[in-house]
């Protein structure tokens, strides 16, 4: 696996409250489907619409059959993960040990944490006392992105120190996963120069074209949660990805699971857009549903869980499973 990236930049003026961390993935016809984890140097869906009371359905089960049949590199994603050491576990809070157990059951090639990995402030001591004891068991295959809580420590120092071997000390970078190229982006635009990052993304996607492209973020471009909701500030990163025909976007930030139809960066459902997922269900807590967004297919906030993905040569499959072992959403989508 080859990494390409740039170092964390100095602050830009205005605080972007809802900055989104975006992960972009792209497909190539050449690689045989295996990934490498050498660290860097220092749209159709069979699932029906659902509300916050979503529960497993025959649609989810039949779609899971399509997921099971798909061949591809397996990765697992979720954000908003670990409570501070010593916080009490409940039905809906501090479930990081249970989501880590799920990750292990899926035996992924890579683990993709989607930001806000250690609450409340991303302190290195808390990372070592909580995250390391749960999701930390996947250290060698983890490729993270930072969230806003990770920047509560100046410069995300705790995050960058804890994940130095995985990221090379960079806050955004790119690497290959089998037929896909994966972009782990930093959308905390009050702490990094996101215009410079967008230019880097454009340059790298131009230099590394793939058949299938996808993006994911810490803060989502679209979200129906009552807590944060849509993050318009990430539109420039979406715009770059869409110019390169990206297909898939992953995000956290809002503590729920939600899947959207293919959308452009301006709020329109379109076949030329990206399918996006909010997966802020890594364990910390869960948020209420707000007004349902245009393009939202399914919203779920009853239990923590993780998104199991297969990245194939010309398509991808998804399955969201909660900590009770229930498959809430599943399907297969062909790249554009």
């Amino acid at each position: 696996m080859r990494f390409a990236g740039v170092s964390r930049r100095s602050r830009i003026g205005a605080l972007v409250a809802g900055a989104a961390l975006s992960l972009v993935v792209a497909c190539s016809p050449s690689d045989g489907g295996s990934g490498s984890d050498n660290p860097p140097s220092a749209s159709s869906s069979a699932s029906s619409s659902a509300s916050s009371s979503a529960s497993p359905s025959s649609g989810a089960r039949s779609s899971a059959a399509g997921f099971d049949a798909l061949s591809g590199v397996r990765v697992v994603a979720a954000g908003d993960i670990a409570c501070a050491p010593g916080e009490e576990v409940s039905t809906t809070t501090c479930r990081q040990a249970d989501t880590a157990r799920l990750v292990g059951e899926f035996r992924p090639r890579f683990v993709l944490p989607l930001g806000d990995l250690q609450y409340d402030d991303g302190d290195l001591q808390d990372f070592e006392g909580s995250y390391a004891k749960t999701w930390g068991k996947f250290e060698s295959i983890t490729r993270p992105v930072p969230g806003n809580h990770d920047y509560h420590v100046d410069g995300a120092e705790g995050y960058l120190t804890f994940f130095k071997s995985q990221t090379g000390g960079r806050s955004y970078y790119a690497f290959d996963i089998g037929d896909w190229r994966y972009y782990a982006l930093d959308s905390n635009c009050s702490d990094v120069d996101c215009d410079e990052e967008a230019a880097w993304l454009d340059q790298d996607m131009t230099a590394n074209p793939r058949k299938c492209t996808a993006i994911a973020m810490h803060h989502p471009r679209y979200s129906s949660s009552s807590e944060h909701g849509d993050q318009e500030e990430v539109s420039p990163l979406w715009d770059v990805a869409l110019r390169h025909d990206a297909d898939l976007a992953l995000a956290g930030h809002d503590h729920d699971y939600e899947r959207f139809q293919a959308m452009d960066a301006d709020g329109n459902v379109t076949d030329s857009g990206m399918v996006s997922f909010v997966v802020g269900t890594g364990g910390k807590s869960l948020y209420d549903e707000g007004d349902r967004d245009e393009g939202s297919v399914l919203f779920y906030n009853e239990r923590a869980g993780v998104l199991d993905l297969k990245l194939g040569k010309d398509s991808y499959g998804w399955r969201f499973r909660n900590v009770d072992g229930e498959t809430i959403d599943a399907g297969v989508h062909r790249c554009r």
Side-chain angles (χ1 to χ4, degrees):
M1 174 175 57
R2 303 187 308 278
F3 278 77
V6 295
S7 301
R8 180 177 51 82
R9 304 296 178 184
S10 60
R11 294 177 178 270
I12 61 174
L15 173 65
V16 179
L21 171 66
S22 180
L23 142 79
V24 180
V25 191
C27 269
S28 152
S30 57
D31 200 310
S34 61
S36 163
D37 64 347
N38 296 323
S41 58
S43 103
S44 62
S45 162
S47 295
S48 60
S49 284
S51 68
S52 58
S53 60
S55 59
S57 65
S58 59
R61 288 191 293 270
S62 62
S63 297
F67 172 89
D68 290 339
L70 182 69
S71 177
V73 180
R74 200 164 205 162
V75 299
V76 175
D80 308 275
I81 294 171
C83 288
E87 286 195 26
E88 185 176 354
V89 177
S90 74
T91 302
T92 58
T93 62
C94 302
R95 301 298 298 270
Q96 61 268 16
D98 294 302
T99 54
R101 172 183 50 78
L102 267 183
V103 173
E105 290 176 2
F106 292 141
R107 300 175 62 85
R109 184 67 184 84
F110 288 101
V111 174
L112 310 175
L114 300 175
D116 282 4
L117 309 182
Q118 179 59 64
Y119 286 83
D120 287 322
D121 300 317
D123 291 320
L124 181 59
Q125 184 175 352
D126 287 347
F127 266 112
E128 293 170 344
S130 184
Y131 183 95
K133 295 179 178 180
T134 55
W135 284 59
K137 68 181 68 176
F138 310 109
E139 177 181 2
S140 66
I141 59 171
T142 293
R143 298 295 178 263
V145 295
N148 52 293
H149 278 266
D150 301 311
Y151 272 99
H152 285 188
V153 174
D154 189 46
E157 183 178 359
Y159 165 91
L160 290 172
T161 299
F162 187 81
F163 292 109
K164 185 174 182 179
S165 64
Q166 294 91 340
T167 67
R170 301 161 182 152
S171 71
Y172 56 93
Y173 54 93
F175 67 98
D176 295 325
I177 303 177
D179 294 315
W180 299 61
R181 186 157 178 82
Y182 176 92
Y183 293 88
L185 304 181
D186 186 345
S187 58
N188 292 276
C189 296
S190 62
D191 297 275
V192 297
D193 186 336
C194 283
D195 289 337
E196 184 172 320
E197 182 178 8
W200 168 82
L201 177 61
D202 186 40
Q203 181 180 32
D204 194 274
M205 294 184 81
T206 299
N208 296 280
R210 300 292 191 270
K211 173 176 173 50
C212 302
T213 9
I215 78 168
M217 308 176 158
H218 173 63
H219 308 77
R221 174 64 187 90
Y222 302 109
S223 169
S224 301
S225 171
S226 63
E227 186 71 18
H228 297 300
D230 295 356
Q231 304 293 301
E232 294 183 7
E233 294 86 354
V234 307
S235 293
L237 294 172
W238 269 62
D239 283 335
V240 170
L242 286 167
R243 286 203 303 272
H244 293 274
D245 297 324
D247 296 278
L248 172 65
L250 306 178
H253 196 45
D254 275 323
H255 300 186
D256 48 62
Y257 172 78
E258 189 169 15
R259 174 165 58 88
F260 284 85
Q261 298 178 58
M263 307 276 288
D264 65 16
D266 299 315
N268 302 305
V269 176
T270 170
D271 289 342
S272 62
M274 291 184 288
V275 173
S276 63
F277 293 81
V278 179
V279 196
T281 51
K284 172 59 171 70
S285 60
L286 298 170
Y287 290 165
D288 291 334
E289 182 179 4
D291 294 335
R292 199 66 171 271
D293 264 12
E294 176 75 15
S296 176
V297 179
L298 185 148
F299 182 97
Y300 175 83
N301 64 349
E302 293 184 1
R303 294 289 188 273
V306 301
L307 183 64
D308 183 18
L309 291 164
K310 290 181 181 179
L311 307 181
K313 287 184 177 296
D314 59 4
S315 60
Y316 60 92
W318 72 89
R319 176 177 62 181
F320 180 79
R321 183 169 289 177
N322 69 18
V323 293
D324 294 336
E326 299 170 321
T327 294
I328 303 302
D329 187 29
V332 174
H333 200 286
R334 185 169 293 276
C335 299
R336 288 191 285 137

